[in-house]
Amino acid sequence: MTEKKAQLTMDGIDEPIELPVYEGSTGPDVVDVRSLVAKGIFTYDPGFMSTASCDSAITYIDGSKGVLLYRGYPIEQLAEKSDFMECCYLLLNGKLPDSEEKATFIDNIKHHTMVHEQICNLFTSFPRHAHPMAVMIGAVGALSAFYHDDLKINNIEHRKAVAVRLIAKIPTLAAMTYKYSIGQPFMYPRNELSFSENFLHMMFATPCEEYVPNPVLADAMDKIFLLHADHEQNASTSTVRLAGSTGANPYACISSGITALWGPSHGGANEAVLTMLNEIGDISHIPDYIKRVKDKNDPVKLMGFGHRVYKNFDPRAHVLRDAAKNVMKEMGIENDPLLPIAKELERIALEDDYFIERNLYPNVDFYSGIILKAIGIPTNLFTVIFATGRTPGWVAHWHEMISNPFKIGRPRQLYTGPTQRDYPG
Ligand code: SDX
């Protein structure tokens, strides 16, 4: 196949610069601009709107068609036919496991769910009212203190152990974060339970009585984790890759991903959606809120709407919208006062020119919060749940990068500051 080329002509450069163009297995071609630095030229793309930072075989999004593929499998099919553990294996290994591989993977995860007892002491250094994401950043980062000295990231078996430990331990730390905040004792993982049943157990069981996870809620929890598992080079995954590109401890790299996820423009949006719905309070208040959203001088946004890549619907939002109905029916809260507000906001956004012109559709965060609230997860823990689901994606991208030749990430800049000047005197 003839190699594709691009040509850059530029004032001040005599000859056009020829640049290689690469085709992916699907999606947009990319222009390789690496040779420009030798010619003293940088490209400029704040926010990386049209920049591919790497090549990856893990997840593909077609934002114009609302397509999301984990290793080629459509998210709708995985949500219907697969489960979170199987998707973790798929993201990490590039293929669906056979029954024996799946059983071995799950057994491996189950036998790494406990955390070092000394980590329990870490929690007591946080104020009880600390935001759970602040605690998670500390607790996950602290894992790097327990798994560092003999960790060789260039050894694939060590990398696989990192993946298993993080997928297994982050839910335990997430539940510990919640228990600490409400003054209840930590609940140890139960190996006879499934991943999601065990998470609900660690979250809501107490030593005082038998706790049987509700299968409908466990299924919804599993779907939430599965739908959040990966999303190509989003801000938190790019943070993990950039931190990992220095050779930093992978547990610390995942902690940096949790930090990036916390922001309300990213994973913090699910918490912000509930705050927004509660602030609106009643359908009659929606028109005034929409006026504020459209007002350029008002920073308020319609949280849970819009996306850097999806300029059509976010397929995850569709799956979650259906799952929300099941959970609310199971919990007998079909008339949750927030649901009609959410539905009316969605109706307006899908009909109003302001939102249509800007391709603002509900994203994964719009409905996830409604489900999490129905399950009984406190609002300030929503992004912790997102981080728990996204862990396999973060780890898969870290592993993919370290498994192949890579360079330390070091962007350049357009300098606009003072040129050289002498110190006075
Ligand atoms: C996630 O990247 C990923 O893949 C992320 C994620 C993942 O799985 O990892 O999908 C998870 O982070 C989902 C997004 C969650 N965030 C929110 O719901 C917060 C609200 N949404 C926005 O802040 C915004 O839509 C972003 C940050 C998600 C995307 O922003 P972009 O692509 O930079 O788009 P933009 O800010 O340039 O907006 C384009 C226009 C602007 O208006 P104009 O200046 O052109 O007039 O749309 C407007 C924006 O003001 N706009 C919104 C809006 N989002 C964009 N206006 C009102 N409400 C919104 N939510």
Side-chain angles (χ1 to χ4, degrees):
M1 182 167 62
T2 52
E3 198 178 75
K4 283 185 167 180
K5 295 278 185 197
Q7 277 204 345
L8 176 68
T9 57
M10 192 172 159
D11 295 342
I13 298 275
D14 298 337
E15 295 297 318
I17 301 170
E18 203 163 79
L19 299 168
V21 173
Y22 307 136
E23 290 181 338
S25 45
T26 183
D29 292 351
V30 297
V31 178
D32 183 346
V33 295
R34 285 176 291 182
S35 63
L36 292 181
V37 67
K39 297 173 171 56
I41 301 168
F42 295 161
T43 60
Y44 182 69
D45 185 17
F48 311 119
M49 303 283 280
S50 59
T51 293
S53 60
C54 62
D55 47 73
S56 178
I58 300 173
T59 294
Y60 175 69
I61 302 171
D62 182 330
S64 61
K65 297 186 183 121
V67 168
L68 169 57
L69 310 176
Y70 288 171
R71 299 283 190 176
Y73 294 100
I75 193 68
E76 297 89 345
Q77 294 180 25
L78 292 169
E80 185 190 339
K81 300 173 182 172
S82 183
D83 58 43
F84 180 60
M85 283 287 96
E86 186 174 74
C87 283
C88 288
Y89 184 97
L90 172 65
L91 290 168
L92 289 169
N93 297 289
K95 72 178 189 70
L96 289 168
D98 60 31
S99 54
E100 189 182 337
E101 289 165 332
K102 183 173 180 180
T104 305
F105 180 73
I106 290 173
D107 188 62
N108 206 3
I109 293 287
K110 284 183 179 218
H111 288 90
H112 285 84
T113 49
M114 286 206 292
V115 293
H116 195 291
E117 277 296 297
Q118 278 185 257
I119 287 195
C120 302
N121 305 330
L122 177 84
F123 285 80
T124 57
S125 62
F126 289 96
R128 294 268 180 190
H129 64 275
H131 193 288
M133 283 296 277
V135 181
M136 276 300 279
I137 290 163
V140 174
L143 291 175
S144 60
F146 292 82
Y147 306 105
H148 182 71
D149 298 342
D150 57 0
L151 174 59
K152 303 277 180 290
I153 62 171
N154 294 318
N155 179 322
I156 186 166
E157 294 311 316
H158 286 212
R159 291 201 297 275
K160 286 181 178 175
V162 166
V164 167
R165 281 199 176 108
L166 281 161
I167 292 169
K169 294 181 193 307
I170 283 188
T172 306
L173 294 173
M176 291 170 77
T177 300
Y178 173 57
K179 286 300 198 186
Y180 178 71
S181 73
I182 59 175
Q184 284 190 0
F186 299 139
M187 294 304 291
Y188 286 101
R190 300 286 314 173
N191 287 346
E192 77 276 12
L193 298 174
S194 74
F195 182 94
S196 296
E197 289 169 339
N198 178 45
F199 180 69
L200 293 177
H201 158 78
M202 295 189 293
M203 282 285 295
F204 300 120
T206 68
C208 320
E209 57 192 16
E210 190 61 27
Y211 173 84
V212 179
N214 178 320
V216 173
L217 301 191
D219 178 61
M221 205 69 248
D222 199 82
K223 217 174 278 310
I224 289 257
F225 289 139
L226 184 157
L227 291 166
H228 286 80
D230 193 45
H231 215 236
E232 64 160 65
Q233 308 306 325
N234 58 84
S236 53
T237 301
S238 298
T239 301
V240 169
R241 277 182 174 259
L242 190 57
S245 74
T246 70
N249 179 293
Y251 300 92
C253 292
I254 299 302
S255 176
S256 69
I258 297 175
T259 301
L261 186 73
W262 193 2
S265 291
H266 189 13
N270 53 17
E271 177 179 351
V273 166
L274 261 288
T275 306
M276 173 185 74
L277 294 176
N278 282 310
E279 184 186 327
I280 291 173
D282 184 276
I283 280 188
S284 61
H285 301 154
I286 290 180
D288 285 345
Y289 194 83
I290 296 292
K291 273 199 199 100
R292 287 188 58 199
V293 168
K294 293 178 178 178
D295 177 358
K296 278 278 167 240
N297 300 315
D298 191 328
V300 83
K301 286 191 182 290
L302 205 52
M303 300 314 281
F305 283 79
H307 198 277
R308 172 60 58 77
V309 177
Y310 290 122
K311 298 309 175 190
N312 198 318
F313 65 93
D314 179 337
R316 302 169 295 179
H318 281 192
V319 176
L320 286 170
R321 183 179 53 199
D322 299 341
K325 287 175 196 155
N326 299 339
V327 171
M328 304 188 100
K329 188 172 172 205
E330 174 66 19
M331 299 306 286
I333 47 175
E334 290 159 286
N335 51 8
D336 180 323
L338 297 184
L339 200 56
I341 299 173
K343 284 181 176 173
E344 179 62 6
L345 275 180
E346 181 179 19
R347 183 193 67 77
I348 292 172
L350 296 179
E351 293 175 7
D352 184 301
D353 286 344
Y354 177 91
F355 300 98
I356 293 169
E357 285 159 11
R358 292 167 177 80
N359 300 306
L360 300 179
Y361 292 87
N363 58 48
V364 67
D365 293 303
F366 187 61
Y367 282 102
S368 59
I370 291 172
I371 296 180
L372 293 172
K373 176 175 175 283
I375 292 174
I377 309 272
T379 305
N380 69 359
L381 213 78
F382 286 1
T383 312
V384 170
I385 302 297
F386 192 146
T388 303
R390 183 53 53 88
T391 297
W394 286 332
V395 171
H397 281 275
W398 171 79
H399 175 66
E400 181 182 62
M401 178 179 71
I402 303 287
S403 303
N404 298 287
F406 67 95
K407 297 181 80 65
I408 185 171
R410 203 280 187 212
R412 307 307 296 270
Q413 63 178 9
L414 174 67
Y415 178 66
T416 59
T419 53
Q420 184 165 334
R421 54 185 170 171
D422 292 331
Y423 191 84

